[in-house]
Amino acid sequence: MSINALAEKLPVYLLTGFLGSGKTTLLAQWIHQPSFADTAVIVNEFGEVGLDHALLEKSDDSDIMLLDSGCLCCALNSPLQDCLEDLYYKRLRTEIAPFARVVVETSGLADPGPLVNTLMADPSVAAHYRFGGVITCVDAVHGLHALASFREAATQLALADRLVLTKTDLATQSEQEAILAAIAQHNPFASLIRSPVPDTHAAQDVLKNLQAHDIRLKPDEQGNGNRAAQSSAIRFSHLLRYGISSHVFRVDTAVAWPHYAAWVAAMQRELGEKLLRVKGILSFEDGHRYAIHGVHHLFSPPQMLGGGIPADASGTLVVIAQDISENEILRILPLLTGPSA
């Protein structure tokens, strides 16, 4: 798939965060931003979102509402695939206002993994949309308690591409240092925005972040680059009691398609449901660089990238897994560059 074909597809972003983390407040700020007017919003349960006062009118379809910024809000009363398809064809038939992106807000207790799976791997979704990434709100005051008590909160943090640290005005210095240390230890790859409320400034910052087509990964600055596939010098301990760990690897040689297929098959077979997420940018023997995405046993077809990718970002591979040691991943990694047998 070419970068032009990717750009033509509508990006879908997943907004998540544990109960009380501030994602609904952030969403409420978004809908008042002029730059958000060409956005469709999908929420799990419309009644949970305090946006009723912002409605100007309702379309003939009771599940799709026009908000005062001009953006659309759709209650997720059917599978996500159906909702996205319905929105797309209503847009195509000009039954609703045109939109340039979609934000899916999860409930506070949701594990975002299945939704990421749908957005990356479902053929009906891939026909018109592309996955834009996970935005996670983290509460600076109660975030550590949520991470220690609920697997969903830990997974929401682990799968994030962008993090909004909320309630920083209410948190003590030690609380902020503790939650920042947890973030740095368990997901240093996500871009981070700090926000008290979150306020309008944070909403604008995240909106600017959404304009990027590709998820940027931090390169391994400590790797020596001499091995075709090597583990980063960075190590991450288990995410509290849930055994969630993040690992970054370097793959510095071009990958052959048969080797990639063998590696994917081994990851599916050996890690399966314990594989929470894989993301990366790899160079292939055809001379192109591709974005790699996988959740559990489902891997999306690699997406060809155009220019604008920093050279040191190419070859970075991030694996987020549960109850899986780095050595187990390292045993599979050589399949990317070695014999497929």
Side-chain angles (χ1 to χ4, degrees):
M1 180 182 296
S2 69
I3 190 67
N4 289 334
L6 266 180
E8 291 171 358
K9 296 189 176 184
L10 298 168
V12 183
Y13 303 94
L14 195 64
L15 174 62
T16 189
F18 200 68
L19 296 170
S21 62
K23 66 181 183 302
T24 298
T25 304
L26 180 64
L27 188 60
Q29 291 285 349
W30 276 351
I31 68 167
H32 294 291
Q33 303 298 320
S35 56
F36 203 64
D38 58 350
T39 303
V41 179
I42 299 176
V43 295
N44 281 4
E45 295 177 3
F46 189 75
E48 290 186 356
V49 182
L51 303 178
D52 299 76
H53 63 283
L55 298 179
L56 282 184
E57 60 179 287
K58 185 186 295 186
S59 70
D60 292 337
D61 187 332
S62 61
D63 288 340
I64 300 177
M65 301 181 179
L66 181 68
L67 303 181
D68 63 354
S69 64
C71 64
L72 298 162
C73 190
C74 176
L76 186 55
N77 295 325
S78 59
L80 180 58
Q81 302 96 310
D82 295 345
C83 189
L84 285 169
E85 188 172 22
D86 186 48
L87 278 173
Y88 179 82
Y89 283 107
K90 280 183 167 62
R91 173 184 181 269
L92 192 65
R93 297 190 298 263
T94 67
E95 296 176 11
I96 58 175
F99 55 90
R101 71 189 64 83
V102 180
V103 174
V104 180
E105 190 219 12
T106 73
S107 66
L109 290 171
D111 179 345
L115 290 179
V116 174
N117 236 340
T118 296
L119 295 176
M120 290 199 310
D122 187 88
S124 64
V125 174
H128 308 295
Y129 299 94
R130 60 179 174 81
F131 176 57
V134 178
I135 306 160
T136 300
C137 290
V138 178
D139 184 336
V141 178
H142 303 108
L144 284 180
H145 174 73
L147 291 172
S149 305
F150 299 94
R151 181 187 181 279
E152 294 82 2
T155 305
Q156 290 164 0
L157 171 59
L159 296 190
D161 299 297
R162 301 166 181 88
L163 288 166
V164 181
L165 184 63
T166 63
K167 304 181 184 178
T168 54
D169 59 332
L170 302 178
T172 64
Q173 184 66 29
S174 61
E175 286 174 332
Q176 292 191 52
E177 290 174 355
I179 192 65
L180 286 171
I183 290 171
Q185 183 181 20
H186 303 302
N187 190 348
F189 316 110
S191 59
L192 177 66
I193 297 171
R194 303 191 198 190
S195 171
V197 181
D199 57 9
T200 301
H201 177 71
Q204 292 173 336
D205 283 349
V206 178
L207 280 172
K208 291 177 183 177
N209 236 305
L210 295 187
Q211 306 306 315
H213 288 300
D214 304 312
I215 296 168
R216 305 299 184 186
L217 304 174
K218 288 185 178 180
D220 171 20
E221 297 176 352
Q222 300 183 28
N224 59 31
N226 294 327
R227 295 170 58 187
Q230 65 177 14
S231 167
S232 165
I234 304 173
R235 296 292 184 270
F236 304 103
S237 61
H238 282 199
L239 185 53
L240 303 177
R241 73 188 197 197
Y242 293 111
I244 299 174
S245 55
S246 301
H247 310 273
V248 60
F249 305 94
R250 292 292 305 173
V251 181
D252 292 322
T253 60
V255 176
W257 287 106
H259 296 162
Y260 176 75
W263 174 75
V264 169
M267 294 286 280
Q268 293 169 325
R269 181 177 63 252
E270 301 296 332
L271 306 188
E273 290 301 311
K274 294 182 179 181
L275 180 63
L276 298 181
R277 192 171 178 195
V278 175
K279 56 184 178 179
I281 301 173
L282 299 180
S283 295
F284 279 71
E285 287 187 343
D286 62 7
H288 297 288
R289 287 176 292 185
Y290 292 81
I292 304 301
H293 295 290
V295 176
H296 299 313
H297 61 282
L298 293 177
F299 280 71
S300 300
Q303 299 173 344
M304 185 188 299
L305 300 175
I309 304 298
D312 54 4
S314 182
T316 304
L317 189 68
V318 178
V319 179
I320 304 169
Q322 184 174 22
D323 297 329
I324 294 291
S325 70
E326 187 170 79
N327 285 337
E328 292 177 86
I329 305 171
L330 282 172
R331 284 197 294 268
I332 302 172
L333 193 62
L335 290 175
L336 275 173
T337 54
S340 58

